[in-house]
């Protein structure tokens, strides 16, 4: 099992033990990714990157994890292969922005 599938299984188990699947439709998962990304931005607001990392490193780690968790949940919900879609997009990025 890949590391990504292992994480998705852990997340799904956590969700199912709390009967939260009913709330995790694609729209609300997409909204949640954006909310968690905004929480990440809050850690950097009004201060330099250096200050933010000095002051908020622990919370920055948690917000990145939240973004990743919801992103993995949305991929799983939509039946998307994480490795495949990232590689596909990196290919497009390479065409758009040649070295
Ligand atoms: Mg959060």
């Amino acid at each position: 099992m890949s590391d990504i599938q292992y994480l998705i299984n852990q997340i799904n188990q956590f969700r199912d033990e709390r009967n939260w699947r009913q709330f995790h439709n694609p729209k609300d998962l997409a909204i949640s990714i954006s909310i968690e990304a905004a929480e990440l931005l809050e850690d950097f607001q009004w201060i330099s990157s250096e200050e933010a990392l000095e002051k908020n490193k622990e919370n920055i780690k948690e917000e990145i994890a939240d973004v990743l968790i919801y992103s993995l949940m949305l991929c799983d919900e939509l039946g998307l292969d994480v490795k495949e879609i990232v590689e596909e997009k990196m290919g497009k990025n390479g065409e758009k922005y040649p070295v």
Side-chain angles (χ1 to χ4, degrees), residues 5-49:
Q5 191 55 54
Y6 173 80
L7 289 173
I8 290 171
N9 291 349
Q10 296 285 108
I11 293 163
N12 285 345
Q13 185 183 338
F14 181 93
R15 176 201 64 196
D16 293 341
E17 286 169 350
R18 288 154 184 82
N19 196 25
W20 285 349
R21 180 160 199 172
Q22 57 187 313
F23 306 114
H24 291 165
N25 60 75
K27 172 189 69 83
D28 288 311
L29 290 171
I31 288 170
S32 297
I33 292 168
S34 185
I35 290 170
E36 296 302 340
E39 289 178 359
L40 176 61
L41 287 178
E42 260 192 314
D43 283 328
F44 291 94
Q45 189 179 27
W46 309 124
I47 52 181
S48 69
S49 294

